[in-house]
Amino acid sequence: MSHQEHRPNTEGKYKWIGTRPDRPDGADKVTGRARFGADFNLPGQLIGKVLRSPHAHAVIKSIDTSKALALSGVKAVITAKDFPDQPNLIVPTGEMQVNMRDITRNIMAREKALYEGHPVAAVAAVSEAVAKQALALIKVDYKVLPHVIDVAEAMKPGAPILHDHLLTEGASPPATKPSNIAKRIEFKKGDAKAGFAQAEVVIEKDYTTQAVHQGYIEPHATLASAAEDGQIQVWSTTQGHFQVRGFCARLLGVDTSQIRVTPTEIGGGFGGKTVVYLEPLAMRLSQKTGKPVKMTMAREDVFRASGPAPGGNVKVKIGAMKDGRIVAAECIVEMQAGAFPGSPVGPACMCSFACYDIENVYIEGFDVVSNRPKVAAYRAPGAPISAWAVESTMDILAQRLDMDPIDLRLKNAAKAGTKTAYGVTFNTIGMVETLQAVKDSEHYKSPVKPGWGRGVAAGFWFNIGADSSAASHVGEDGSVTVISGNPDIGGSRASLALMAAEELGVDYNKVRPIIADTASIGFNFVTGGSRVTFATGLAVVNSVRDMIRELKVRAAKIWKIDPEAVIWENGMAKPAGNQVGTFEPLSLADLAAQAGRTGGPINGHAQLNVTGAGPGFGVHCVDLKVDDDTGCVTVGRYTAAQDVGTAIHPSYVEGQLQGGAVQGVGWALNEEYIYNAQGKLENPGFLDYRMPVASDLPKIETILVEVPNPQHPYGVRGVGEVPIVPPIAAVGNAIARATGVRMVDLPMSPPRLSAALDAARPRRMAAE
Amino acid sequence: MSEVQYQSAKTVKEAVKMMQAAKGKGYILAGGTDLLVQMKSGARTPGVIVDVKKIPEMVTVTEKNGAFTIGAATPAAVLGENKKLRKAWPGVIEACNLIGSTQVQGRASAGGNLCNASPAADSVPALVAAGCIVNVAGPNGKRAVPVEKFCIGPGKTSLKTGEIVVSLTLPKRPKGSSDAYLRLIPRTEMDIAVVGVGVSLTMKGGTVTDARVGLGAVAPTVLLVENAAKALIGSKLDDAALDAAADACSAACRPIDDKRGTIKYRTKIAGVLLKRSALIARDRINGVEHRGHRPV
């Protein structure tokens, strides 16, 4: 059991990069000093609570708040009337897109309640108990409508329609009547029909998946304080405080400069904290009352009303020659968007066959609304769903051809120069290296235990760059503060500090990374898309380079030589060229001490729109056994390999691989949203929404494969999302190989797996 | 605003008085691992909470002539550390040590698990198999209730106003006896039983001379499955006897389809776990140690 590193490109090359120091936020987090969303309080604060729809689909005929307002201790009640309507305007949020018209309806139902748990009103009161009493006094007159939960049902003619204005975008012929299909998309490469005609083997299969929650341990929480002069301060547990500012400015109709958002420490997000729920409500309640308003969600609220990842239906068809070469592939994805358009069906389609170099591809996707909470991003949004279907089908193909599953993938692997079905041609990528690393691993070479099954699957994610700002300051004593604006959800503070230390040539412990509020650093796009270490890392490197340029100017001034004749080496300015050895080198501390006399404080800045994100590939291998009588799965060994570019802080890269694998195993085995006939969620808690617990899994082994991204000074690729893409199919493939039963519906829970084993028993006994 | 009064009793008599005075609005606080959660969710709104943890006989375990009496509020963790009890009733103790989680067991008690009256309570099928007697005290004195008759429906017990459970008595058992409890959960811990089966056996010369079977999470209350016991008694736990006992368990099931499992699945698993529990009990009689509760 081990962690392996394949680091031929970075080994010995750097002093700090690739080392594993303690994270700057570590001590605070393990001692309980760190302050998370619900830890912030202000004197005189009120408690805000949300009244949520008990119906899956209902017209809101009227809301009577008079009795609630009359209750002693209640300071304000708000409804959708307290927010201006918003235009039909698409804005990005992490890797997904949302419509402002929909966001304002999602934070507070306007014409209709569209899912159980949809906010209908909110109160601010002197205590939680009074706020709860006030909720019970709000009278909402609903006209309950027929609802639809399932995607296939929602797509049928005659299904209850959620939005009368919704005409399918991209339909051919163009849509004339409203439906629940918000969008149809298509990607084509070559001629799939001709490809399948030429194929010697064709495998076709339908798969389904269920909605799953990101499952962050910390529920949403916020504290807002609006002052009489219009300034609003907000503390929020979020993956993007600039995003909170931007959304809330629009939703409340105020300037972004009026709002100052401070991100708290964050207890997990995984994409789910890239949108707003409580913040605009708390801000409006604070504006109305003139007092700070604190709001937190209970776990039940988190499940009922914060974005899960969608479920979907996927049809996959793969055609190959007998030697394993894939000649045609087709994938059709129908995906839940929740109550408003905007599922990650686009990335699901684009990622489906991105691991492979296939000549003829046809991909089609449908974005479908139903009476469920609006979906939000979750690690590689959409990709695990299509990968589950594609990678399961690849395994069936490998079995049919009697090929090793890694060899089949190696034969078709995408390489530099491969053109994807969505149009991009890959630069340097590590799909082949990652497959090879698993093939060469001790795990893969070890024999499979009798009665066990071994499953392999691959996965792809684009990763993104986008907008980042950073600043670096030298203190009077020569220590350094690095300021950026992305909440740290995966150890990014440590990674940013390591890159700054490497660049500056100073000790890691002399660099303090700080995450600044929205008023204290330039704009930063959300922590998402696996972008922070890559894009904000680049901004930090550039800000440090800007500072080094200034440091060289100061040294030149002291030495009265040309700045061009100064170099920066090992944390010191040194004379170079014809000046070599003329002066004693000046350290950061020396230069800081003389800063006042040489031009004032020494800082560096950078602001970038970062492009050139390096895509990532992962290959996972799992050994498991299935209890034939109960359908319970025991995972015995699990290895996650990934092309990670350069592992800046290998422990946190491994942590990303392990976390993604664990979440993917949960998605595969037990996690699902269960609705009753009334469209109400039956399992809004961790008891019956079953995420894995520690005893469910072995230690996840990792293999870091470093294929540096040529478009980053240290070769960084995003690593946080790829690891959730392969696990579902890896588990399904292992189950198929252990039992001979191919599962196509998620989750592969004990009751479902047991039923499938029982159904296949006559066939399995005949085969023996 | 509704108010809750906290009262702490020093004696059983005092606790009974407090409960009687609360007129049906009283709730016993032992570990509180169910009560506090239910209060938080609004499922229960007590007027008075009566803390019984300061009543010595309710938090201690005593042995008399081979019979064990377990104070109803004794934390599960304390039961797990009692070597004699664990040796005599390994199935009861492993069941008690599955309540909630390791942390929860520092507070959670077998009495509380019983009084919460969940059909999926982990300790109850094992207590039913053990032939446990529930010692109840009330305004009209004491009474003893066989554990399988104590609960009358989900969340409902046969306790009358003012009555409390003081302790649980596990009878003295003959040589060659042991027990086992298995539950099916989709995870490996921190979960609730989809089916739970407790089996208690007495064997002589490889033949079962006495047996009791408790079956949980498949009916409104935990069941005593006499037909399963009958199928085991007189057998050497051969396949035919085990199959018959498993069928009796499946036949006794009156489960529901819900988020935790289907009728079909629960009915099948009841039989599967019966067989496995019986074999573990036999192994224990034969001195083979068994650890781990996951039926894999």
Side-chain angles (χ1 to χ4, degrees), chain B residues 2 10 67 98 114 118 188 209 214-215 251-252 254:
Chain B
S2 58
K10 298 264 185 328
L98 287 175
L114 178 65
S118 162
T188 48
T209 56
L215 181 55
R254 288 175 278 131

Side-chain angles (χ1 to χ4, degrees), chain B residues 86 90-91 94 178-182 276-294:
Chain B
R86 211 170 59 210
E94 73 191 340
S178 196
D179 65 341
Y181 173 76
L182 284 178
R276 295 183 183 183
S277 306
L279 293 174
I280 293 173
R282 180 183 66 183
D283 279 353
R284 284 178 173 155
I285 290 170
N286 295 335
V288 180
E289 279 234 14
H290 262 278
R291 294 199 60 188
H293 48 265
R294 195 174 192 198

Side-chain angles (χ1 to χ4, degrees), chain A residues 6-89:
Chain A
H6 291 219
R7 323 188 57 208
N9 299 299
T10 45
E11 206 71 73
K13 196 168 161 188
Y14 302 118
K15 179 153 191 250
W16 291 104
I17 284 171
T19 63
R20 301 169 185 250
D22 288 345
R23 59 199 290 166
D25 48 316
D28 279 0
K29 282 179 177 163
V30 298
T31 55
R33 185 175 284 111
R35 292 203 293 164
F36 292 84
D39 295 329
F40 284 79
N41 296 291
L42 283 171
Q45 76 188 15
L46 302 173
I47 301 298
K49 284 264 163 210
V50 176
L51 181 69
R52 298 179 183 277
S53 168
H55 305 296
H57 196 192
V59 173
I60 298 169
K61 289 160 74 181
S62 66
I63 303 176
D64 180 358
T65 61
S66 56
K67 276 191 180 163
L69 276 167
L71 182 69
S72 168
V74 174
K75 302 298 180 188
V77 181
I78 55 170
T79 66
K81 285 184 183 152
D82 291 277
F83 296 91
D85 205 353
Q86 294 290 327
N88 182 8
L89 175 74

Side-chain angles (χ1 to χ4, degrees), chain A residues 629-709:
Chain A
D629 289 325
T630 64
C632 289
V633 170
T634 301
V635 177
R637 192 170 182 185
Y638 197 110
T639 299
Q642 189 172 315
D643 162 24
V644 300
T646 300
I648 300 297
H649 190 305
S651 296
Y652 302 141
V653 175
E654 288 156 3
Q656 291 291 332
L657 269 57
Q658 293 168 320
V662 169
Q663 287 181 314
V665 170
W667 196 332
L669 291 180
N670 278 310
E671 294 181 38
E672 64 177 321
Y673 271 43
I674 303 169
Y675 284 92
N676 68 15
Q678 288 75 46
K680 298 185 187 189
L681 186 61
E682 289 253 282
N683 58 336
F686 282 138
L687 180 57
D688 285 306
Y689 179 87
R690 292 185 167 78
M691 297 178 65
V693 295
S695 55
D696 288 349
L697 287 156
K699 172 109 176 156
I700 307 291
E701 298 169 54
T702 59
I703 305 176
L704 306 185
V705 182
E706 291 195 320
V707 180
N709 175 8

